[in-house]
Amino acid sequence: MTLPTLNESTAAAIALGPPGQRCPVVIEDQARIPGWVNDLESFRRWALSDEYPDHGLFAYFHGDIWVDMSMEELLTHSRVKAAFTGTLVILSQQTKTGSFVPDRMRWSNVEAGLSTEPDGLFYTWAALQSGRLRFVPGTQGGIIELEGTPDMVLEIVSASSVTKDTVRLCDLYWRAGVSEYWLVDARAEVTRFEILRHTPAGYLAVEPQDNWLASAVFGRAFQLTQEVDPLGHPLYVLDMRQSQPAL
């Protein structure tokens, strides 16, 4: 029997697939990305369909599909996220200027070629009223996606997301027009917390004042402190105060 050459096999495989589609991608027998997912529009349709996996994080970054199947770490990720979520939800309720949205809400921005689920985001009511951000309803009711530009996005760095959070998203969130990108890394002995402010040339880190970082979005200054629980594990507290007037 004569076996086909590599070129013949490749040609046959290409001929069997629909034009413009790649092969489906199977990830660790846990998730499958269909071959028809090949741009932002098709990725968003897949993310809202019954074919979308129940486990894992999937994002579209300007032509690339990013996948993270790892479990979330408790001490350097979940607890940090809880500190920010608790403080910012309460602050949003007090100021009544907008809403803080915890993680696992899909957010897409067509101009930046972006669709992801950040660790948190905040939008003002003005963003919705102006059309800068809009709700995307699901086929069975409810709001299942945000499209446009929120005012602030939060990401907490994990071992599997260093380049994504510190390089790729710095560019894409800036292109999406997000006013403030909050970036936190609690994996080292000293926790790093930055507020990156949108400028015409890119994001610029806010200079700390006595270890406090001023947020123009919230009109407050913030400080992330670390405590210890009764078992010696780290706990995090996001403190806030009124921003000091510029000198």
Side-chain angles (χ1 to χ4, degrees):
M1 180 177 65
T2 302
L3 296 177
T5 66
L6 177 61
N7 288 339
E8 290 170 342
S9 299
T10 304
I14 293 173
L16 290 174
Q21 284 196 18
R22 52 163 176 75
C23 293
V25 177
V26 179
I27 303 155
E28 300 177 357
D29 288 332
Q30 299 181 57
R32 179 181 183 274
I33 304 176
W36 53 266
V37 178
N38 53 19
D39 57 15
L40 177 60
E41 189 275 334
S42 59
F43 178 88
R44 292 175 66 188
R45 281 194 285 113
W46 172 61
L48 304 180
S49 73
D50 293 337
E51 295 185 61
Y52 192 71
D54 295 326
H55 172 69
L57 293 174
F58 302 83
Y60 188 89
F61 296 151
H62 197 64
D64 294 333
I65 298 176
W66 183 86
V67 179
D68 187 355
M69 301 300 294
S70 62
M71 300 293 287
E72 186 171 288
E73 203 280 325
L74 172 65
L75 302 179
T76 62
H77 198 103
S78 293
R79 286 190 172 182
V80 179
K81 183 165 56 180
F84 280 83
T85 298
T87 297
L88 295 178
V89 165
I90 292 173
L91 177 60
S92 301
Q93 294 171 343
Q94 291 174 343
T95 60
K96 296 180 172 54
T97 58
S99 178
F100 181 81
V101 182
D103 68 334
R104 300 318 302 258
M105 169 57 69
R106 180 152 300 278
W107 161 52
S108 299
N109 183 281
V110 175
E111 289 73 20
L114 169 70
S115 183
T116 187
E117 297 177 11
D119 286 313
L121 63 82
F122 173 81
Y123 61 82
T124 59
W125 305 128
L128 290 173
Q129 292 166 341
S130 67
R132 175 162 51 87
L133 187 74
R134 74 178 187 93
F135 292 156
V136 179
T139 56
Q140 299 180 0
I143 306 301
I144 43 79
E145 184 184 21
L146 302 176
E147 181 185 79
T149 303
D151 297 84
M152 168 268 193
V153 178
L154 167 70
E155 296 288 0
I156 300 161
V157 178
S158 60
S160 59
S161 70
V162 177
T163 301
K164 171 182 77 75
D165 293 337
T166 62
V167 178
R168 195 71 188 270
L169 291 182
C170 278
D171 175 61
L172 290 175
Y173 288 176
W174 178 81
R175 292 177 183 273
V178 177
S179 295
E180 289 183 357
Y181 177 25
W182 291 27
L183 188 60
V184 188
D185 190 345
R187 297 172 302 139
E189 184 175 346
V190 177
T191 298
R192 186 185 66 165
F193 168 36
E194 293 181 293
I195 294 179
L196 306 178
R197 186 169 294 166
H198 195 282
T199 75
Y203 277 122
L204 182 66
V206 172
E207 290 291 335
Q209 300 293 328
D210 296 327
N211 295 321
W212 290 85
L213 296 175
S215 166
V217 168
F218 291 100
R220 300 287 191 279
F222 296 87
Q223 182 183 65
L224 183 64
T225 59
Q226 183 174 320
E227 301 176 353
V228 178
D229 70 15
L231 300 180
H233 298 137
L235 287 172
Y236 303 90
V237 177
L238 182 64
D239 296 312
M240 64 178 174
R241 70 181 188 186
Q242 292 288 339
S243 294
Q244 301 298 313
L247 298 179

